[in-house]
Structure formats: structure tokens, C-alpha cells
Amino acid sequence: MCHQKSCIPGGSFALYSLLCRHAKIRTIPNQHRTDEELTTYSRNKSDDSSFAAKTKKWLEANSFRKTSLLIVVLIGTCMVIGDGILTPAISVLSASGGIKVDHPKMSNDVVVLVAVAILVGLFSMQHYGTDRVGWLFAPIVLLWFLFIGGIGIFNIWKYDHSVLKAFSPVYVYRYFRRGKKEGWTSLGGIMLSITGTEALFADLAHFPVPAIQLAFTVVVFPCLLLAYSGQAAYLIQNQDHVIDAFYRSIPGPMYWPMFIIATLAAVVASQATISASFSIIKQAVSLGCFPRVKVVHTSKKFLGQIYSPDINWILMILCIAVTAGFKNQSQIGNAYGTAVVIVMLSTTLLMTLIMLLVWHCHWTLVLIFTVLSLVVEGTYFSAMLFKLGQGGWIPLVIAAAFLIVMYVWHYGTLKCYDFEMHSKISIAWVLGLGPSLGLVRVPGIGLVYTELPSGVPHIFSHLVTNLPAIHSVVVFICVKYLPVYTVPEDERFLVKRIGPKNFHMFRCVARYGYKDLHKKDDEFEKKLFDNLFMFVRLESMMEGCSESDDYSSIYGQEQHTQQNSQELLRLKGCNANTCRSSNLDLTVSSVGDSIMSARSPPRHTDATAMSSGQWSNPTEVDEMDFLNGCRDAGVVHVLGNTIIKARRDSGIFHKIAIDYIYVFLRKICRENSVIFNVPHESLLNVGQIFYV
């Protein structure tokens, strides 16, 4: 039996993230066991002797297989981005073509000019978001389907109701037997009849699955069948109108209302694919597969409504170039069909792995699904190959350009991570420096940003060997994106101590999902310090437990705020005796404000705090005052600026990828200081160069 236990948002990266949650197939191996304790990190375990477990081991055993799977994901993603370019082009151009039907003498250039004007207006309005006008989308789409369905019924009744026989599979067989190769190649055009409907499944992250299923079954599917059947009935008696069959089949009084509805529906469809492109780029950035671009939330209510100005203008330029360059709906339609069928193929391959590794379906059921899907999609794909010379090459070129950018960026990111992993400093080296770290400890807090979720980064050795002083408190910060769609606020931060207490060194890992946004505001630093202070308090409450290299965290449910230290020990499965010999897992959550207000005293002198009777540990009080004093003294953000270069003995393609493409992408992408909203006056950049 196959049981679906996970809700999958649409998108190749969402499927890939779900697979990464159940198997160690990520090319950047920054997983940690504490990530699996997240409430959104649900996964199912399979029997070691099962076919799913063997498939999982087969994928994990070879880096080439991991890379190949990532390339499949990137190809599907690039084709979806291509849809974001081709959908507005063909939708708006088709809708604008209705003007020429009513005015036959009008030049085609005028139609293209109108389409370009609509596209410019559409992309220029993206920064406002869809929150303000989104309430109009559902009525427009509903009217669109009802209109085309009603017109289809009218045409079937008026012209030829025998077209309904086409629903019989017998006529499918007769069509191919009679048409042979021509019938086979016509599937490339038939493919356009189902394109666009797959966009429904891209909205699974925004709407419940039953709502999508109900809308498709009750409204979308029946209206599409009636619309195409009605056009077929009209063409039986008007075969010379095959080019503009849609508008010519509209009854006279309904022409202009239908033209307005068609234009509005084209804008809505274009808006959906453009927004989907923004979301996919955001996911790619989160997973290290796309250069850092600006992402803006356009809605305070809905997390998924985002806008990327850089991507928006790139899509607009490419969309206008396609529209004005080809001026032909059929060629753009061939390109659109090619992109859609390749997306379907990549999604089918990913769904095969999802059924095995996530849903634990029996291999026979998986085989049946895969064979049936590939037979249908492979048939359409083979037919689309005949259309490559008639516009089908457009999405391949667009996808190839985006694929090069995404793969080269991911390759450079992976090399940077490998460099930091292999050059990180051992704890023994840090301990050998002593409490002063071999330098003068000056008042203040140094926030050192690193890609490493564990260990001391190599950048720290540059600081202690080239600077005469270091801050009294050092916090290593790692902003880490996990293969989950979101991380709850109360589980976002993980804090641990590095070395003895008198070193005053900590690590904080801020975890985000691929749909979360590391917002550019001052709340991040505030939440960071709240969790750091909460960690010190909880650590003092559990005095006597051994230190370890495990992450420290506490899931900040409200019930935990009402429990005492003995209850916290009980929840972690250790008591005052056993905790000394076990690994300690404290949790410090981002609801530190509520916990602190319930447990911690305000800032007082040592004598005041001691007299309260609630906090009797002078060490904890001294360290809290010390940390607060260092915070008041000032915070400095230390960012690493790692530059990679190709070795002299590298191949020509490797040198082009690293020394030219990756370096160029690094120059034009957003700096980490901008993403983290670091004030310029408190920023310290530390550069380092390494060769790959």
C-alpha cells in the first residue's frame, strides 16, 4: 500500500528538499542530527532490507549520482523559469490577437506592440505584489472558464454535436492509424491543450489539496473539454478559420466581453507564472544554487508572495525579446510545449523517488506509475522533437543559460564550503591559546559569520594572527537553510558554548526553510542576543552537566516556560547524576522574551540579584552582567570574503567556470553585509584566497 504522509509544495526544489530530508543526497553536507528534531522535519524510516532502503543507500554511496540528481532538478527548475518567460508572451500575444480578428486589415506589428505594452505594464506592477488585487484573480479565472465552457456548449449545439464521439478511445486509435507520422507529430500541437493546467499544482503551497482537486474536477477540466470540443465543431464547417479559431468561434454579441475577459485572464496567468519564478529563484538561493538576489515580501499576511526586482527585469527583457522577435503564436507555442513536457519528465523522475523513499510505496506500484507516466510524457516529448526547428529550441537556450549560472554558482559554493571544512581550526588549537586567545581582549562582542554549522572557521585564525586584539565575547554565526519549507520561530536558533566559560566564545546557528526569508531588519540581532542570554541562564540552571560539542537548544513551547530546571532535566532524559556523563542538549528558542520575563530578573547589581533569592549563582549573574556590558560597549560584525581561483594546471572549462563565470556572478550578486543588514561602521571584512 502507498500512504501519502507528507504535503508537498509545488516545485522541483520542494521535491528535492523532501528527498534530502529522507536521504543524505545533498552535495553540500551540512546536515546535523539536531535538524531532525524540528517539528517540520518529519520523515519516515524504512526497513533496512526493503527496496526503498537499498535505493537510498545506492543514491548516498556515490557523489556522481547525487550530482546527477541535482542536475535533473536544475533542468526542471530552469524549464519552469522558461515558463515564466514564455507564458506571459504567448498568453498576452494570443489575447491581443483578438483585435486583428475584428480588424482584419490591421498590421501584425500593431498587435505585437499592444502585447509588448501590456507586458511592460505587467512587469512594472510586480513590486506592488498581488495582495491588493489578488481578490480579483479568482472571479476573473472563474468567469474565463464559465465563458469558454458556455461558448463551447453553444458551438457544439449549433455546428456539430458529433464531435463528442472524440471522447471514445476508439477514435484515438483511428486517428493515429489514419494519420501515421503526421498524426504523431501533431501531438506537439495537441500538447498545448494541456499546458497551463499544470500550474494548478504549483499552488499546492498556497491552497489546500482538496480545493485544487475540486476546482480542477468541477470547473477546469469540464470547461476545457467543452471549449476544445466547441472549437472542433466550429472548424468542421469553417476550416479556413483554423488560425484564429478561438476568437472566430465566439458569437458576435459576446466578442468584446470575451476579449476583455481573455486579456484579464492572460494577465492573471502571467502573474501566476512570474510569481512562481520568484518563488523558485528564492528556493534556489536558499539551497545555494543561485546567486544572492534581493527578495522582498509584498504581503504581511501571506509568506509566499515575494518579489525579486533583479529577476523581474531579466524576465521582462527576455519576455519582450521573445514576443517581439518571433511575432508568431505558433512558434512561441512550440517553445512553451517543449518546456512543459521537460518539466513533466523531471517531475516524474523525482516523484518516483518520492514514492520510494518518502511514501514507502511498493516497488511494483512505483514501477507501474513510472512506466505509465513515461509512456505518455515520452510520447509527447518525441513529438515535440519535431518542433525544435519551429521555435522549440527557445526554452532549451533559456534553460541552458540559467543552468550554467545555477550549476557554476553551486559548484563554487560547494568548493568554498569544502575549503572551510578542511581548513577549520581544531578546538585543541583554540584551547592552547588560553582565555585571552593570545591577544588583548577588548570590550565588545564580535559576531563572526561563517558557513560552518560546527567547528571554528579558518577566518578566526586570520583574526588572532593579524590583529592585536579580539573582542571580549566572540559569537560564531551560521545562517543555515534546511531542506524544509519553514522553520518555526521558536526553533530557529541553536546556541552552544565553545571552550570553557572564561573564553566567552559561543556558536549560534540560525536555521531557515526554503520559503523563509532572512529579513533585513534589526530583529535578527535582538533575537540572537535574547537566545544567547537565555542559553547562559539555562546552562547555569543545569550546572554540573558536562559540556559537549552538541548544539544547545530548547524548543520554546509555552509550557516549557512554566517548568523548573528539574523538569527541563527530565525532558532531556538526564538527572543531576547521569547528566555529568552524558551529552547535554539544551535548547534556546527565539521566544526568549517570554521565557526571560518569566524566569529572569531585570538588570540589577550583583547584590540586588543575590538578595532576590531566585538567582543564587554568582557565576551566572557575573557572566550575564559581563555579556550585557560587552553588548553595550559595541557589536562588530566580521564577514569572510573568500575568493576562489582555478589552479594553473586546471582545464580550460574549469578555468572559465571559476575565473570568469563564478567571479562575475560574485561581483554582481548581493553582498552578505547587505543581506544581514550590517551597518557599515561596524563591519569588518576578512579576505582569503584559495585555489581549486
Side-chain angles (χ1 to χ4, degrees), residues 359-395:
W359 298 343
H360 296 160
C361 300
H362 195 273
W363 68 268
T364 55
L365 184 61
V366 177
L367 181 62
I368 293 173
F369 164 80
T370 305
V371 171
L372 291 179
S373 300
L374 291 181
V375 165
V376 176
E377 295 165 5
T379 302
Y380 279 109
F381 179 72
S382 63
M384 292 303 304
L385 292 178
F386 294 97
K387 304 290 184 179
L388 290 180
Q390 304 173 22
W393 56 270
I394 301 174

Short mmCIF file of all heavy atoms in Angstrom, two decimals, residues 359-395:
data_model
loop_
_atom_site.label_atom_id
_atom_site.label_comp_id
_atom_site.label_asym_id
_atom_site.label_seq_id
_atom_site.Cartn_x
_atom_site.Cartn_y
_atom_site.Cartn_z
N TRP A 359 7.12 8.01 0.66
CA TRP A 359 5.85 7.36 0.90
C TRP A 359 5.97 5.86 1.12
O TRP A 359 5.00 5.21 1.52
CB TRP A 359 4.90 7.63 -0.27
CG TRP A 359 4.60 9.08 -0.45
CD1 TRP A 359 4.78 10.09 0.45
CD2 TRP A 359 4.04 9.68 -1.63
NE1 TRP A 359 4.39 11.28 -0.08
CE2 TRP A 359 3.93 11.07 -1.36
CE3 TRP A 359 3.65 9.21 -2.86
CZ2 TRP A 359 3.42 11.97 -2.28
CZ3 TRP A 359 3.14 10.09 -3.80
CH2 TRP A 359 3.02 11.46 -3.50
N HIS A 360 7.12 5.29 0.82
CA HIS A 360 7.39 3.86 1.01
C HIS A 360 6.37 2.99 0.26
O HIS A 360 5.86 2.00 0.80
CB HIS A 360 7.39 3.50 2.50
CG HIS A 360 8.48 4.18 3.27
ND1 HIS A 360 8.44 4.34 4.64
CD2 HIS A 360 9.63 4.76 2.85
CE1 HIS A 360 9.52 4.98 5.04
NE2 HIS A 360 10.26 5.25 3.97
N CYS A 361 6.09 3.38 -0.96
CA CYS A 361 5.20 2.56 -1.80
C CYS A 361 5.91 1.29 -2.24
O CYS A 361 7.15 1.25 -2.33
CB CYS A 361 4.76 3.35 -3.03
SG CYS A 361 3.85 4.87 -2.66
N HIS A 362 5.15 0.27 -2.52
CA HIS A 362 5.73 -0.98 -3.01
C HIS A 362 6.34 -0.74 -4.38
O HIS A 362 5.81 0.04 -5.20
CB HIS A 362 4.64 -2.06 -3.08
CG HIS A 362 5.20 -3.45 -3.21
ND1 HIS A 362 5.51 -4.01 -4.44
CD2 HIS A 362 5.52 -4.38 -2.28
CE1 HIS A 362 5.99 -5.23 -4.26
NE2 HIS A 362 6.00 -5.48 -2.95
N TRP A 363 7.44 -1.42 -4.65
CA TRP A 363 8.17 -1.15 -5.89
C TRP A 363 7.35 -1.45 -7.14
O TRP A 363 7.55 -0.83 -8.18
CB TRP A 363 9.47 -1.95 -5.90
CG TRP A 363 9.31 -3.44 -6.02
CD1 TRP A 363 9.22 -4.34 -5.01
CD2 TRP A 363 9.22 -4.19 -7.24
NE1 TRP A 363 9.07 -5.61 -5.50
CE2 TRP A 363 9.08 -5.55 -6.87
CE3 TRP A 363 9.26 -3.85 -8.59
CZ2 TRP A 363 8.97 -6.56 -7.82
CZ3 TRP A 363 9.14 -4.85 -9.54
CH2 TRP A 363 9.00 -6.18 -9.15
N THR A 364 6.40 -2.40 -7.04
CA THR A 364 5.56 -2.69 -8.21
C THR A 364 4.65 -1.51 -8.54
O THR A 364 4.45 -1.17 -9.71
CB THR A 364 4.72 -3.94 -7.96
OG1 THR A 364 3.96 -3.78 -6.74
CG2 THR A 364 5.60 -5.17 -7.83
N LEU A 365 4.10 -0.87 -7.50
CA LEU A 365 3.25 0.30 -7.72
C LEU A 365 4.07 1.45 -8.30
O LEU A 365 3.60 2.18 -9.19
CB LEU A 365 2.59 0.71 -6.40
CG LEU A 365 1.59 1.87 -6.47
CD1 LEU A 365 0.43 1.52 -7.38
CD2 LEU A 365 1.09 2.22 -5.08
N VAL A 366 5.28 1.61 -7.79
CA VAL A 366 6.16 2.66 -8.31
C VAL A 366 6.50 2.39 -9.77
O VAL A 366 6.52 3.32 -10.60
CB VAL A 366 7.45 2.74 -7.46
CG1 VAL A 366 8.41 3.77 -8.04
CG2 VAL A 366 7.11 3.09 -6.02
N LEU A 367 6.75 1.14 -10.10
CA LEU A 367 7.08 0.79 -11.47
C LEU A 367 5.91 1.07 -12.41
O LEU A 367 6.09 1.61 -13.51
CB LEU A 367 7.47 -0.69 -11.54
CG LEU A 367 7.88 -1.22 -12.92
CD1 LEU A 367 9.12 -0.49 -13.43
CD2 LEU A 367 8.13 -2.73 -12.86
N ILE A 368 4.70 0.73 -11.97
CA ILE A 368 3.51 0.98 -12.80
C ILE A 368 3.34 2.48 -13.05
O ILE A 368 3.10 2.93 -14.17
CB ILE A 368 2.26 0.39 -12.13
CG1 ILE A 368 2.35 -1.14 -12.11
CG2 ILE A 368 0.99 0.84 -12.86
CD1 ILE A 368 1.23 -1.80 -11.32
N PHE A 369 3.46 3.27 -11.97
CA PHE A 369 3.33 4.72 -12.11
C PHE A 369 4.38 5.29 -13.07
O PHE A 369 4.07 6.10 -13.95
CB PHE A 369 3.46 5.38 -10.73
CG PHE A 369 3.72 6.87 -10.80
CD1 PHE A 369 2.67 7.75 -11.01
CD2 PHE A 369 5.00 7.37 -10.65
CE1 PHE A 369 2.90 9.12 -11.08
CE2 PHE A 369 5.24 8.74 -10.72
CZ PHE A 369 4.18 9.61 -10.94
N THR A 370 5.62 4.84 -12.90
CA THR A 370 6.71 5.38 -13.71
C THR A 370 6.53 5.01 -15.18
O THR A 370 6.69 5.86 -16.07
CB THR A 370 8.06 4.85 -13.20
OG1 THR A 370 8.19 5.15 -11.81
CG2 THR A 370 9.21 5.49 -13.96
N VAL A 371 6.18 3.75 -15.45
CA VAL A 371 6.04 3.31 -16.84
C VAL A 371 4.90 4.04 -17.52
O VAL A 371 5.04 4.55 -18.64
CB VAL A 371 5.83 1.79 -16.89
CG1 VAL A 371 5.45 1.35 -18.29
CG2 VAL A 371 7.09 1.06 -16.44
N LEU A 372 3.74 4.11 -16.86
CA LEU A 372 2.59 4.77 -17.46
C LEU A 372 2.88 6.26 -17.71
O LEU A 372 2.53 6.81 -18.76
CB LEU A 372 1.36 4.62 -16.57
CG LEU A 372 0.78 3.19 -16.45
CD1 LEU A 372 -0.42 3.18 -15.51
CD2 LEU A 372 0.38 2.67 -17.82
N SER A 373 3.51 6.91 -16.74
CA SER A 373 3.81 8.34 -16.89
C SER A 373 4.81 8.58 -18.00
O SER A 373 4.63 9.49 -18.83
CB SER A 373 4.34 8.91 -15.57
OG SER A 373 3.40 8.77 -14.53
N LEU A 374 5.85 7.76 -18.05
CA LEU A 374 6.88 7.96 -19.07
C LEU A 374 6.36 7.62 -20.47
O LEU A 374 6.81 8.20 -21.46
CB LEU A 374 8.11 7.12 -18.75
CG LEU A 374 8.93 7.57 -17.53
CD1 LEU A 374 10.13 6.66 -17.32
CD2 LEU A 374 9.38 9.02 -17.68
N VAL A 375 5.42 6.66 -20.56
CA VAL A 375 4.85 6.34 -21.87
C VAL A 375 4.11 7.56 -22.42
O VAL A 375 4.29 7.95 -23.58
CB VAL A 375 3.92 5.13 -21.77
CG1 VAL A 375 3.05 5.01 -23.01
CG2 VAL A 375 4.73 3.85 -21.59
N VAL A 376 3.28 8.18 -21.58
CA VAL A 376 2.51 9.35 -22.03
C VAL A 376 3.44 10.54 -22.30
O VAL A 376 3.41 11.16 -23.37
CB VAL A 376 1.45 9.72 -20.99
CG1 VAL A 376 0.72 11.00 -21.40
CG2 VAL A 376 0.45 8.59 -20.81
N GLU A 377 4.30 10.84 -21.30
CA GLU A 377 5.16 12.02 -21.44
C GLU A 377 6.24 11.81 -22.49
O GLU A 377 6.60 12.74 -23.22
CB GLU A 377 5.79 12.35 -20.08
CG GLU A 377 4.75 12.76 -19.04
CD GLU A 377 5.29 12.74 -17.63
OE1 GLU A 377 6.51 12.48 -17.47
OE2 GLU A 377 4.53 12.97 -16.68
N GLY A 378 6.76 10.57 -22.58
CA GLY A 378 7.75 10.29 -23.61
C GLY A 378 7.17 10.40 -25.01
O GLY A 378 7.85 10.83 -25.95
N THR A 379 5.89 10.01 -25.16
CA THR A 379 5.23 10.14 -26.46
C THR A 379 5.13 11.60 -26.88
O THR A 379 5.45 11.97 -28.01
CB THR A 379 3.83 9.51 -26.40
OG1 THR A 379 3.94 8.13 -26.03
CG2 THR A 379 3.14 9.61 -27.75
N TYR A 380 4.68 12.44 -25.95
CA TYR A 380 4.59 13.87 -26.25
C TYR A 380 5.98 14.47 -26.49
O TYR A 380 6.15 15.32 -27.36
CB TYR A 380 3.90 14.61 -25.10
CG TYR A 380 2.40 14.51 -25.15
CD1 TYR A 380 1.70 13.74 -24.23
CD2 TYR A 380 1.67 15.20 -26.11
CE1 TYR A 380 0.31 13.65 -24.25
CE2 TYR A 380 0.29 15.11 -26.16
CZ TYR A 380 -0.39 14.34 -25.23
OH TYR A 380 -1.75 14.26 -25.28
N PHE A 381 6.96 14.01 -25.70
CA PHE A 381 8.32 14.55 -25.86
C PHE A 381 8.88 14.19 -27.24
O PHE A 381 9.53 15.03 -27.89
CB PHE A 381 9.22 13.99 -24.76
CG PHE A 381 10.64 14.47 -24.85
CD1 PHE A 381 10.98 15.78 -24.54
CD2 PHE A 381 11.65 13.61 -25.26
CE1 PHE A 381 12.29 16.22 -24.63
CE2 PHE A 381 12.96 14.04 -25.36
CZ PHE A 381 13.29 15.35 -25.04
N SER A 382 8.65 12.97 -27.69
CA SER A 382 9.14 12.58 -29.01
C SER A 382 8.48 13.39 -30.11
O SER A 382 9.10 13.73 -31.12
CB SER A 382 8.89 11.08 -29.24
OG SER A 382 7.49 10.80 -29.23
N ALA A 383 7.19 13.74 -29.91
CA ALA A 383 6.51 14.57 -30.90
C ALA A 383 7.05 16.00 -30.88
O ALA A 383 7.16 16.65 -31.93
CB ALA A 383 5.00 14.57 -30.63
N MET A 384 7.41 16.49 -29.68
CA MET A 384 7.93 17.86 -29.57
C MET A 384 9.31 17.98 -30.21
O MET A 384 9.72 19.09 -30.57
CB MET A 384 8.00 18.29 -28.11
CG MET A 384 6.65 18.46 -27.43
SD MET A 384 5.56 19.65 -28.25
CE MET A 384 6.57 21.10 -28.29
N LEU A 385 10.03 16.86 -30.36
CA LEU A 385 11.34 16.92 -31.01
C LEU A 385 11.23 17.41 -32.45
O LEU A 385 12.16 18.02 -32.97
CB LEU A 385 12.01 15.54 -30.96
CG LEU A 385 12.42 15.04 -29.57
CD1 LEU A 385 13.02 13.65 -29.67
CD2 LEU A 385 13.42 15.99 -28.91
N PHE A 386 10.08 17.12 -33.08
CA PHE A 386 9.89 17.59 -34.45
C PHE A 386 9.65 19.09 -34.52
O PHE A 386 9.69 19.69 -35.58
CB PHE A 386 8.70 16.86 -35.09
CG PHE A 386 8.93 15.38 -35.29
CD1 PHE A 386 8.45 14.46 -34.37
CD2 PHE A 386 9.62 14.92 -36.40
CE1 PHE A 386 8.66 13.10 -34.55
CE2 PHE A 386 9.83 13.57 -36.59
CZ PHE A 386 9.36 12.65 -35.66
N LYS A 387 9.39 19.70 -33.36
CA LYS A 387 9.09 21.13 -33.31
C LYS A 387 10.31 21.96 -32.90
O LYS A 387 10.19 23.18 -32.75
CB LYS A 387 7.96 21.39 -32.31
CG LYS A 387 6.68 20.62 -32.58
CD LYS A 387 5.97 21.11 -33.83
CE LYS A 387 4.65 20.39 -34.02
NZ LYS A 387 3.92 20.87 -35.22
N LEU A 388 11.46 21.32 -32.71
CA LEU A 388 12.64 22.06 -32.26
C LEU A 388 13.03 23.15 -33.25
O LEU A 388 13.42 24.25 -32.85
CB LEU A 388 13.81 21.10 -32.04
CG LEU A 388 13.70 20.15 -30.84
CD1 LEU A 388 14.93 19.27 -30.75
CD2 LEU A 388 13.53 20.94 -29.55
N GLY A 389 12.93 22.86 -34.53
CA GLY A 389 13.30 23.86 -35.52
C GLY A 389 12.24 24.91 -35.75
O GLY A 389 12.47 25.88 -36.48
N GLN A 390 11.07 24.75 -35.11
CA GLN A 390 9.96 25.69 -35.30
C GLN A 390 9.66 26.46 -34.02
O GLN A 390 8.52 26.76 -33.70
CB GLN A 390 8.72 24.93 -35.76
CG GLN A 390 8.92 24.11 -37.02
CD GLN A 390 7.72 23.25 -37.35
OE1 GLN A 390 6.60 23.51 -36.92
NE2 GLN A 390 7.94 22.20 -38.13
N GLY A 391 10.71 26.74 -33.27
CA GLY A 391 10.55 27.50 -32.03
C GLY A 391 10.79 26.68 -30.78
O GLY A 391 10.92 27.24 -29.68
N GLY A 392 10.85 25.36 -30.92
CA GLY A 392 11.06 24.52 -29.75
C GLY A 392 12.43 24.66 -29.12
O GLY A 392 12.65 24.23 -27.98
N TRP A 393 13.37 25.28 -29.83
CA TRP A 393 14.71 25.46 -29.30
C TRP A 393 14.79 26.62 -28.31
O TRP A 393 15.77 26.73 -27.55
CB TRP A 393 15.69 25.73 -30.45
CG TRP A 393 15.31 26.91 -31.29
CD1 TRP A 393 14.53 26.90 -32.40
CD2 TRP A 393 15.70 28.28 -31.08
NE1 TRP A 393 14.39 28.17 -32.92
CE2 TRP A 393 15.10 29.03 -32.12
CE3 TRP A 393 16.48 28.93 -30.14
CZ2 TRP A 393 15.27 30.41 -32.23
CZ3 TRP A 393 16.64 30.30 -30.24
CH2 TRP A 393 16.05 31.03 -31.27
N ILE A 394 13.79 27.48 -28.27
CA ILE A 394 13.85 28.67 -27.41
C ILE A 394 14.01 28.31 -25.94
O ILE A 394 14.92 28.81 -25.26
CB ILE A 394 12.59 29.55 -27.62
CG1 ILE A 394 12.48 29.97 -29.08
CG2 ILE A 394 12.64 30.77 -26.70
CD1 ILE A 394 11.20 30.72 -29.39
N PRO A 395 13.15 27.44 -25.36
CA PRO A 395 13.33 27.12 -23.94
C PRO A 395 14.62 26.39 -23.65
O PRO A 395 15.16 26.48 -22.54
CB PRO A 395 12.11 26.24 -23.62
CG PRO A 395 11.72 25.64 -24.92
CD PRO A 395 12.00 26.70 -25.94
#
